[in-house]
């Protein structure tokens, strides 16, 4: 997430909290704590154990749980609603038998009775438009929470579950034993929020011609983390803190209107079914273009597609190996370009999706910024392991998911833009693509330790 000010402010806050806690200790223990800013770090670390060794490396009993997902997703563009059915295979690598499983339901912060809204305060600003006032205080609240149609075991038998705000506990008829695995399925749907109007991390933007561009993430029930430190990590999602998630393999089929362009986490499995012959030709050219992006869908083509609203559907099929999360972006109003990036001895695709509203800035800088980020971060940390990195232009957004991120930076309607907009856009792309390295690939726990991913990424940026 690009909240640099927020990030520094929280670091200062954390620092202040640590200092004041230390001051308290000092009073309590009569001043015998070590207050030196240069003291040995081991005083801050947990005692080594069989899970975590004294060197900081995993110990002999270290484990991570795994959650694999098979999902069928359908977007109803007209009613901006998403339907999904997923089968989760949960692999219990822990030494513990588990009597229940915790699942994250992040979309419930958009439920009309969501407690997340309470934390935002009720201050009435001295100047407020009638529309904004009515939206906040008079009109019924938007309901974007999950409707859970069912939770079933592998044999189709309903599993009992309890929902507490953004968390769901699924009770098991018998404990899931250590080193064993189980599959269960969840069927769900929810109303997609207009992220520009309602300030959300994912949702849709509506353009003047009635078309929408969707940037969709945190959109499916996801397994909570279980580990040796916390047991179940079942903290609520309040919208600010990000995530702790398991690695897993994702097989995802996404059905959208036939005239939509779509890209997502993972490798496209049915390119011939969803690309035109001309797009395939351009894609083959892009795979060999290391110096500049190749258009897969041009601005003229995106504008022509924006005039029709197809009633046909198309299913895009993806597979992603060993990722911690999943996101996708889709619209008939997207321009699409790609270029190849050489890292050591393999090629990665740098990709951009943007509506015509992003030009002329986006065609010029987005994919190049993605390519440079992959090269420089790989050179200074480790080689980027995924097959692609996608930068999607979404108004006011700066948010990352594995292989895909949403970025702001929009020229004025007449195509002019200031240096501030241009450099802001390039910076946010570097920052959000950079989050692939920290936390997506190293998978730190962002809900507990937000400074780890923001700190490392901001340093690298
Ligand atoms: Zn960030």
């Amino acid at each position: 997430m690009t909240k640099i000010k927020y990030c520094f402010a929280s670091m200062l806050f954390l620092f202040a909290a640590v200092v004041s806690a230390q001051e308290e200790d000092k009073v309590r223990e009569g001043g015998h704590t070590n207050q030196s800013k240069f003291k040995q770090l081991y005083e801050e670390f947990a005692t080594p154990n069989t899970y975590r060794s004294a060197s900081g490396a995993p110990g002999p009993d270290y484990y991570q749980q795994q959650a694999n997902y098979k999902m069928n997703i359908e977007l109803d563009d007209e009613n901006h609603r998403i339907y999904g059915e997923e089968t989760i295979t949960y692999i219990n690598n822990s030494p513990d038998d588990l009597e229940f499983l915790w699942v994250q339901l992040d979309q419930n912060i958009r439920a009309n009775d969501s407690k997340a809204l309470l934390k935002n305060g009720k201050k009435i600003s001295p100047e407020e438009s009638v529309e904004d006032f009515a939206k906040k205080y008079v009109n019924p609240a938007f309901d974007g929470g999950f409707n859970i149609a069912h939770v079933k075991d592998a044999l189709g038998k309903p599993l009992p579950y309890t929902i507490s705000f953004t968390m769901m506990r699924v009770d098991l008829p018998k404990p899931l034993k250590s080193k064993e695995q189980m599959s269960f399925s969840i069927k769900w749907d929810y109303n997609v929020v207009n992220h520009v109007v309602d300030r959300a991390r994912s949702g849709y933007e509506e353009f003047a011609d009635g078309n929408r561009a969707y940037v969709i993430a945190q959109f499916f029930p996801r397994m909570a983390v279980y580990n040796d430190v916390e047991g179940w990590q079942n903290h609520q999602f309040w919208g600010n803190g990000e995530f702790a998630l398991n690695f897993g393999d994702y097989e995802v089929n996404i059905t959208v209107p036939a005239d939509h362009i779509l890209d997502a986490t993972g490798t496209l499995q049915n390119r011939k079914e969803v690309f035109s012959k001309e797009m395939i030709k351009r894609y083959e050219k892009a795979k060999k273009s290391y110096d500049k992006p190749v258009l897969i869908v041009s601005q003229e083509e995106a504008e022509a597609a924006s005039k029709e609203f197809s009633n046909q559907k198309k299913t895009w099929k993806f597979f992603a190996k060993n990722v911690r999360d999943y996101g996708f972006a889709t619209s008939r109003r997207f321009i699409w370009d790609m270029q190849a990036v050489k890292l050591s001895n393999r090629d990665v695709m740098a990709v951009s999706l943007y509506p015509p509203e992003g030009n002329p800035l986006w065609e010029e800088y987005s994919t190049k910024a993605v390519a440079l980020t992959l090269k420089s971060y790989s050179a200074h940390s480790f080689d980027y392991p995924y097959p692609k990195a996608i930068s999607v232009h979404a108004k006011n957004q700066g948010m990352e998911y594995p292989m895909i991120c949403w970025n702001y930076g929009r020229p004025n309607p007449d195509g002019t833009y200031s240096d501030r907009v241009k450099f802001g856009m390039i910076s946010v792309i570097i920052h959000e693509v950079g989050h692939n390295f920290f936390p997506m690939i190293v998978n730190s726990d962002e809900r507990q330790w937000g400074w780890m991913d923001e700190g490392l990424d901001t340093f690298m940026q």
Side-chain angles (χ1 to χ4, degrees), residues 276-452:
S276 66
K277 283 208 175 87
E278 186 55 37
M279 285 165 73
I280 297 257
K281 234 188 270 172
R282 295 170 185 174
Y283 173 68
E284 291 302 323
K285 203 175 144 200
K287 284 203 290 189
K288 294 182 200 88
S289 178
Y290 295 94
D291 57 338
K292 59 174 191 295
V294 172
L295 283 167
I296 309 296
V297 176
S298 70
Q299 178 155 345
E300 296 70 47
E301 288 162 338
E303 281 167 348
S306 299
K307 295 196 174 89
E308 314 273 336
F309 290 79
S310 175
N311 294 320
Q312 305 294 308
K313 295 173 186 176
K314 221 179 224 183
T315 301
W316 299 64
K317 299 176 179 172
F318 292 88
F319 177 70
K321 193 160 183 57
N322 214 17
V323 290
R324 73 190 300 234
D325 199 5
Y326 201 89
F328 68 92
T330 183
S331 177
R332 60 175 70 75
R333 207 170 161 66
F334 277 148
I335 301 162
W336 202 0
D337 72 42
M338 300 180 189
Q339 88 172 61
V341 182
K342 199 166 269 310
L343 298 176
S344 296
N345 54 1
R346 53 187 281 277
D347 284 2
V348 171
M349 292 302 271
V351 182
S352 297
L353 281 170
Y354 43 97
E357 284 73 8
N359 273 340
L361 203 48
W362 277 69
E363 61 188 7
E364 186 71 32
Y365 296 108
S366 175
T367 297
K368 285 181 186 166
V370 176
L372 279 172
T373 307
L374 295 177
K375 281 185 211 163
S376 63
Y377 274 63
S378 294
H380 290 99
S381 57
F382 47 86
D383 273 356
Y384 185 73
Y386 301 148
K388 65 185 178 191
I390 312 159
S391 161
V392 185
H393 178 35
K395 200 175 182 182
N396 305 332
Q397 290 284 354
M399 191 58 201
E400 72 282 0
Y401 300 95
M403 301 182 216
I404 192 164
C405 55
W406 333 138
N407 300 303
Y408 55 76
R410 185 165 294 182
N412 300 316
D414 66 358
T416 59
Y417 53 83
S418 62
D419 275 357
R420 188 189 160 93
V421 168
K422 171 180 153 184
F423 293 123
M425 170 233 183
I426 294 172
S427 299
V428 74
I429 293 173
I430 295 170
H431 183 89
E432 305 306 342
V433 172
H435 270 309
N436 274 298
F437 292 81
F438 313 101
M440 299 301 152
I441 297 162
V442 299
N443 200 10
S444 54
D445 177 347
E446 299 175 276
R447 196 156 294 180
Q448 288 273 71
W449 314 110
W451 58 271
M452 279 193 190

Side-chain angles (χ1 to χ4, degrees), residues 166-185:
T166 62
M167 295 302 301
M168 174 166 75
R169 193 191 67 205
V170 178
D171 295 328
L172 305 177
K174 58 180 177 46
L176 173 62
K177 291 229 155 53
S178 169
K179 313 296 176 208
E180 287 186 359
Q181 63 179 58
M182 69 163 287
S183 293
F184 67 107
S185 63

Side-chain angles (χ1 to χ4, degrees), residues 1-4 242 398 400 431-432 435 453-454 457-458:
M1 191 190 196
T2 185
K3 280 273 174 80
I4 293 174
E242 295 175 34
E400 72 282 0
H431 183 89
E432 305 306 342
H435 270 309
D453 63 300
E454 294 303 341
D457 186 30
T458 304

